[in-house]
Amino acid sequence: EDANEEEGEDEGDYEDGPFHHSRIFRGFLNHMSEMAMRRMTRRPQANLCKNIKPDDYDEDSDEELDGTAAHCAACYRADNQNHKWRRLVTLPCCGTNGRETDSSTRFCAACILRMAVTRSTSSNNSEYRLMDDEPDEYPVRKFYEKNSQTNNRRFCECPRCRDILLVKIKGLRPVYDDSDDNYSENDCDCSDCEVERRERAERTETMTAKSISLHIPSFRAKCWYIGRKRGVAKLLWKVSLLHHNFISYEALGGDEDNANILHLTSWGIIEKIPGRRNSSLYRIDKTNQAKLNKIFQLKDPSEKDQKSEMILMSDIGPCLLYAAWRHLRDEYRLDRSLRILNRFFFLSLHFFGLLPMLPLPWWQELIVTALIIFSTALVAQFLCVLAVYAATFFGVGLSVCYFLK
């Protein structure tokens, strides 16, 4: 009995010891919560309201659908231009110049509002999660330093052409619970009461909107929004470095980044060069590329940023070499291969700090291209002379030894 009691005491000590599974699991949870708190302090969080409803809209009302009248493609309600939420809106990206009336896929203002709110706050919006490490590294970190969306400004994809839309929500008002008897619209306007009402408004989970307006966002605002999505920041970084009028599909990453490349095309960041023989070539406006370069500029790069930039450089280098080889092998286009090789040496000089900040004027790019051609010709000449001297040295030496033997 004494032995059994001693064994029971040992088992009890082991269960309460530092290596018990409950203590290990509790320590793991504490570590993960600590990491989450550190990331929350480093990344600003957008406290977006997840439930914004129209102020004058009855979703439960039943209406008979008219087969001849235009209707919303999402809720199937008939068009009513006298109602601010049931009217069919004009999408500024693909509905101008009379194309909206000719389209069979149209949307009402209430559905556009619901779409903008749900897609901007959904957990399945292709953005990085709180526990991911990529937003702490360059270049993804640039897009997580500030929030591009607020309650009044929401970005979403156009449901028809997949371009980026800016939805401005006007007249937002918080909806309070009935149990909140202290709230009244006739409260005093002193600073203390305003601060209290503002804090109570931030705690509410439901808001109402008076109206919305649709806009095409600027190129810079569009980049700040899409750069938070998975894999897009690195792709934008590549687009900012390649030649604005000659961006090869393989240089961007090829089939591995095919989905994100198609997204950039639908979002209007890059566009395909027309022509049957240019199916794998893209281009970007030069002014837009200059704006993209300003986003990725590092004023005081840390050691971690420099290390991340070296990793990115080691990634884009093989992509450029493979693109040059692919154009020569499949298309027999020596000119395209030479242009890509020229960009490879150009970026090599840029990464080693031998060139000014990008983008360069056309005459500076021309000088750098002439320098690359001159250096390549000198290297080729040196290799040819070295090969001749090596052949002469070994040929004469072997011949003399042969005859002597």
Side-chain angles (χ1 to χ4, degrees), residues 56 65 74 87 145 161 176 307 361:
D56 184 17
L65 294 178
R87 62 180 179 87
E145 290 178 348
C161 68
Y176 297 96
K307 185 178 179 181

Side-chain angles (χ1 to χ4, degrees), residues 154-251:
R154 301 293 181 98
F155 292 90
C156 68
E157 291 186 11
C158 174
R160 193 162 57 196
C161 68
R162 298 303 177 187
D163 199 356
I164 302 297
L165 281 177
L166 173 59
V167 182
K168 292 185 178 181
I169 307 175
K170 302 177 181 179
L172 280 177
R173 291 178 59 87
V175 178
Y176 297 96
D177 297 332
D178 297 335
S179 59
D180 193 0
D181 299 328
N182 297 324
Y183 173 74
S184 175
E185 294 183 355
N186 298 323
D187 286 344
C188 66
D189 296 333
C190 66
S191 59
D192 295 336
C193 292
E194 288 183 359
V195 171
E196 182 182 357
R197 284 196 296 269
R198 193 180 301 114
E199 292 178 353
R200 289 162 58 189
E202 291 177 355
R203 292 195 298 266
T204 56
E205 297 180 355
T206 304
M207 304 181 77
T208 59
K210 287 186 177 181
S211 62
I212 63 170
S213 60
L214 304 180
H215 306 271
I216 298 178
S218 63
F219 181 83
R220 187 178 178 85
K222 190 185 297 186
C223 291
W224 280 110
Y225 167 68
I226 66 176
R228 300 171 69 97
K229 298 183 180 296
R230 291 182 178 272
V232 177
K234 294 181 180 179
L235 198 59
L236 289 175
W237 180 81
K238 292 181 180 180
V239 171
S240 67
L241 295 177
L242 299 176
H243 193 271
H244 67 94
N245 204 29
F246 189 79
I247 301 176
S248 178
Y249 173 77
E250 285 76 14

Side-chain angles (χ1 to χ4, degrees), residues 292-336:
L292 202 56
N293 275 298
K294 291 182 180 179
I295 294 178
F296 290 107
Q297 284 181 2
L298 293 172
K299 296 181 180 179
D300 297 322
S302 61
E303 185 178 351
K304 186 178 180 181
D305 294 336
Q306 293 177 354
K307 185 178 179 181
S308 300
E309 197 170 10
M310 289 298 294
I311 294 174
L312 292 171
M313 181 185 68
S314 62
D315 180 37
I316 193 175
C319 291
L320 286 170
L321 295 178
Y322 176 73
W325 165 248
R326 210 276 305 169
H327 284 293
L328 183 62
R329 181 195 63 186
D330 299 342
E331 302 176 1
Y332 304 103
R333 294 296 300 269
L334 182 61
D335 55 337
R336 293 181 177 179

Side-chain angles (χ1 to χ4, degrees), residues 7-39:
E7 290 179 0
E9 290 177 358
D10 294 339
E11 291 179 357
D13 293 339
Y14 176 73
E15 289 180 357
D16 296 333
F19 298 104
H20 192 257
H21 59 83
S22 61
R23 285 180 175 270
I24 295 175
F25 184 68
R26 197 180 304 118
F28 172 74
L29 291 180
N30 292 335
H31 173 71
M32 296 299 287
S33 60
E34 224 177 275
M35 295 294 292
M37 290 299 296
R38 289 180 184 176
R39 284 176 169 83

